[in-house]
Amino acid sequence: MTEFLELISDLADLLRFADVSGLLIPVAGVGGGIEAREHVELLPLIKYTLLFLGGVGVVFGISLALTAKKFSVRIDPRVEKVMDVLAHAH
């Protein structure tokens, strides 16, 4: 986990060094009602984005697991016995 945090920290340092904040934040005109920021903290932005995507993944994963459990079909053992006797004779 610490390696992952170090990787995120290094990535944030690289992005801060490249100064891409001018590309990420739109410039608003006069009277637009939108305030442009001069600086964006990328590390919290990346952290909260990863937390959000992880949460969405967990929710969808649990819902898919429960749905698969609810709609599972039991296989009749007699069908397998018949398939073994037929030996794939089409």
Side-chain angles (χ1 to χ4, degrees):
M1 184 70 184
T2 59
E3 293 175 359
F4 179 71
L5 292 175
E6 288 175 5
L7 178 67
I8 295 295
S9 176
D10 291 342
L11 180 63
D13 289 339
L14 286 174
L15 290 176
R16 190 174 300 127
F17 178 71
D19 193 25
V20 296
S21 61
L23 299 173
L24 296 175
I25 303 169
V27 178
V30 177
I34 300 173
E35 297 180 13
R37 296 182 185 173
E38 292 183 14
H39 180 70
V40 174
E41 294 291 330
L42 289 178
L43 191 58
L45 178 68
I46 292 171
K47 182 176 73 171
Y48 291 127
T49 302
L50 290 176
L51 286 173
F52 174 75
L53 290 176
V56 168
V58 166
V59 168
F60 279 111
I62 289 173
S63 64
L64 283 173
L66 292 175
T67 304
K69 184 86 168 173
K70 181 174 176 69
F71 291 109
S72 65
V73 177
R74 293 186 184 174
I75 297 175
D76 190 5
R78 296 178 294 175
V79 173
E80 290 186 14
K81 288 180 183 176
V82 171
M83 292 299 285
D84 290 338
V85 170
L86 289 178
H88 303 286
H90 298 294

